[in-house]
Amino acid sequence: MNAFAALERVETAGVETLFCGHTHQPYIRELSGGSIQVKVQARGMKTPREETMTLPMRRIVNAGSVGEPRHGNTKATYVVLDPISGDINIREVDYDVAKTCQAILDAGLPDVFAWRLRHGFEYAERAEDASHVCER
Amino acid sequence: MERWALVSGLKGDADLYKQLQRDLKRQRGVAYLFLLGDLIGPDQDCNYLINRLQQPKPGDLQPHCIYGWWEDQLLASCGYRGEQRAQESRLEHGETFHRRLKQGVAAEHLPWLASLQYGFIELDCGLIHGSSVDVGDSLDESTSPLLLLDRLTRLDVNRLFTARSARQFRLELSGGQITSCVKDHSGEQSQEHVVPKRSVIGIGAGSEYCIYEPGSDHVSFQSASANRRHLKQGFV
């Protein structure tokens, strides 16, 4: 995502750090050292006004997911925030993936659910709808 | 060189529209007329203007229309926007204004208003009543540059022409940068992003409009009423 657009989302939320999910891909993104220079002309102004806006440092953190991994391995992910220091760490947890995959198959769910869990990413061509494209 | 006229906020005023058409005839090279919404409003009987927009008089510059905030409110209150019921105009202007808006537009014109698009993309320009976020998004020269850059980025255009604020301005993003550092399970990556040279242009409303020359990227702010006064006084 465009860095300025990402910063705008955090600013619109009115926070210093925006935690999100949805993509199942854990990351910590720090946006810093930003500025925007503008030249403004309005009706009635004799000369354009030039200004520089200093942008605040902000963070976007995606917690990843504990199921349906899409970050390239089979581990469950989450993040831990230390509210005192502000440190954020991505945690990865191993578990018995084979057992969970077998449970998916035993429950009669589509094979692709187990395949996805075992490989850590969504393989669109293996989905039942071959026209499905996974966008992220 | 080919030029565009960008107009908004006629609000049903057919006399103003005739005056604008006369004014545009005096402007050299204006090949396209874009009406960026608020064709209707609560203060006039809008039917004559709507008829003329649909069936231009001989010699009129052909208008290319999109819908604006007032059209959106009317269409919402008439069931064209699903569950929305024009709460915004009721809160902002009161029930009386809202009733007058409905009385000023014949039901036969609703399908035409409902067929209008949200905006146009012409060359690398976005033409929208509000912004890429909402028809009611009011952008002006005091809006945060970060927010303006976001509105430009969402549309992926170099210039965004907007009308909702009724202001005439050009805000050019002329420089800047930001550092984006991403940490994930594969490591850490840092990237510098620079601000693209892009502009947001407020076209004004009513008799105040904008002429844009895509070939030279030149914007000029016009006032049909001022141009008319100058003509009478022999300035042009």
Side-chain angles (χ1 to χ4, degrees), chain A residues 20-119:
Chain A
C20 60
H22 188 60
T23 64
H24 292 218
Q25 291 175 315
Y27 64 82
I28 300 162
R29 186 177 192 184
E30 190 175 290
L31 302 157
S32 61
S35 68
I36 302 178
Q37 282 119 46
V38 298
K39 191 164 88 174
V40 186
Q41 276 181 294
R43 189 180 173 83
M45 274 172 72
K46 285 183 179 167
T47 51
R49 189 178 78 232
E50 296 195 25
E51 290 170 5
T52 299
M53 178 193 194
T54 302
L55 302 171
M57 194 280 275
R58 297 287 183 255
R59 289 186 297 187
I60 298 185
V61 179
N62 193 306
S65 70
V66 292
E68 294 284 320
R70 291 177 192 163
H71 58 284
N73 71 46
T74 58
K75 292 173 186 171
T77 69
Y78 64 100
V79 296
V80 175
L81 164 74
D82 180 337
I84 308 297
S85 67
D87 288 345
I88 300 169
N89 287 302
I90 298 172
R91 310 282 297 173
E92 296 191 27
V93 183
D94 264 327
Y95 68 104
D96 192 343
V97 177
K99 186 177 165 188
T100 308
C101 289
Q102 191 56 54
I104 287 171
L105 298 175
D106 291 347
L109 292 166
D111 292 0
V112 70
F113 289 2
W115 190 97
R116 198 182 289 161
L117 204 59
R118 203 164 58 242
H119 290 79

Side-chain angles (χ1 to χ4, degrees), chain B residues 21-46:
Chain B
Q21 284 284 355
R22 283 195 296 272
D23 200 55
L24 292 174
K25 282 194 184 85
R26 287 193 288 269
Q27 302 274 0
R28 276 177 304 163
V30 175
Y32 294 97
L33 169 60
F34 295 104
L35 297 184
L36 304 192
D38 283 0
L39 315 168
I40 63 168
D43 301 323
Q44 305 259 356
D45 179 333
C46 305

Side-chain angles (χ1 to χ4, degrees), chain B residues 59-91:
Chain B
D60 272 5
L61 198 57
Q62 172 78 38
H64 300 277
C65 306
I66 58 172
Y67 72 84
W69 189 80
W70 279 112
E71 287 82 26
D72 198 50
Q73 294 299 304
L74 176 68
L75 291 167
S77 70
C78 295
Y80 281 81
R81 294 287 189 261
E83 294 300 307
Q84 290 178 42
R85 285 292 178 269
Q87 278 307 107
E88 239 184 296
S89 62
R90 285 196 169 91
L91 289 171

Side-chain angles (χ1 to χ4, degrees), chain B residues 129-131 134-140 143 147 162-167:
Chain B
H129 180 75
S131 82
D134 189 77
V135 72
D137 203 10
S138 183
L139 309 177
D140 62 29
T143 304
L147 192 134
T162 177
R164 174 71 180 138
S165 71
R167 299 279 302 157

Side-chain angles (χ1 to χ4, degrees), chain B residues 45-226:
Chain B
D45 179 333
C46 305
N47 295 302
Y48 180 85
L49 177 64
I50 296 173
N51 276 323
R52 183 149 172 180
L53 294 176
Q54 292 178 82
Q55 290 153 352
K57 297 273 187 205
D60 272 5
L61 198 57
Q62 172 78 38
H64 300 277
C65 306
I66 58 172
Y67 72 84
W69 189 80
W70 279 112
E71 287 82 26
D72 198 50
Q73 294 299 304
L74 176 68
L75 291 167
S77 70
C78 295
Y80 281 81
R81 294 287 189 261
E83 294 300 307
Q84 290 178 42
R85 285 292 178 269
Q87 278 307 107
E88 239 184 296
S89 62
R90 285 196 169 91
L91 289 171
E92 201 170 310
H93 298 274
E95 199 62 44
T96 311
F97 263 84
H98 199 264
R99 204 165 39 246
R100 276 161 45 190
L101 177 70
K102 286 182 90 165
Q103 286 167 351
V105 180
E108 68 194 63
H109 292 311
L110 293 175
W112 180 75
L113 291 171
S115 74
L116 297 178
Q117 295 182 56
Y118 184 79
F120 296 126
I121 301 288
E122 296 289 329
L123 303 176
D124 61 346
C125 304
L127 284 58
I128 292 181
H129 180 75
S131 82
S132 43
V133 165
D134 189 77
V135 72
D137 203 10
S138 183
L139 309 177
D140 62 29
E141 65 271 33
S142 62
T143 304
S144 158
L146 183 63
L147 192 134
L148 296 179
L149 179 53
D150 172 72
R151 303 303 188 251
L152 286 156
T153 305
R154 285 173 192 246
L155 266 188
D156 196 19
V157 292
N158 288 328
R159 276 158 286 276
L160 172 63
F161 290 87
T162 177
R164 174 71 180 138
S165 71
R167 299 279 302 157
Q168 285 183 306
F169 69 95
R170 178 175 190 154
L171 190 144
E172 198 177 330
L173 302 166
S174 53
Q177 71 290 312
I178 193 167
T179 303
S180 170
C181 180
V182 178
K183 289 180 205 168
D184 60 16
H185 67 282
S186 62
E188 189 171 325
Q189 278 188 331
S190 189
Q191 268 189 315
E192 285 280 324
H193 298 256
V194 295
V195 174
K197 290 201 185 309
R198 293 178 167 179
S199 297
V200 176
I201 297 124
I203 66 164
S207 63
E208 299 197 324
Y209 67 99
C210 170
I211 297 279
Y212 180 62
E213 196 171 295
S216 64
D217 192 31
H218 181 72
V219 172
S220 69
F221 298 121
Q222 303 286 327
S223 169
S225 50

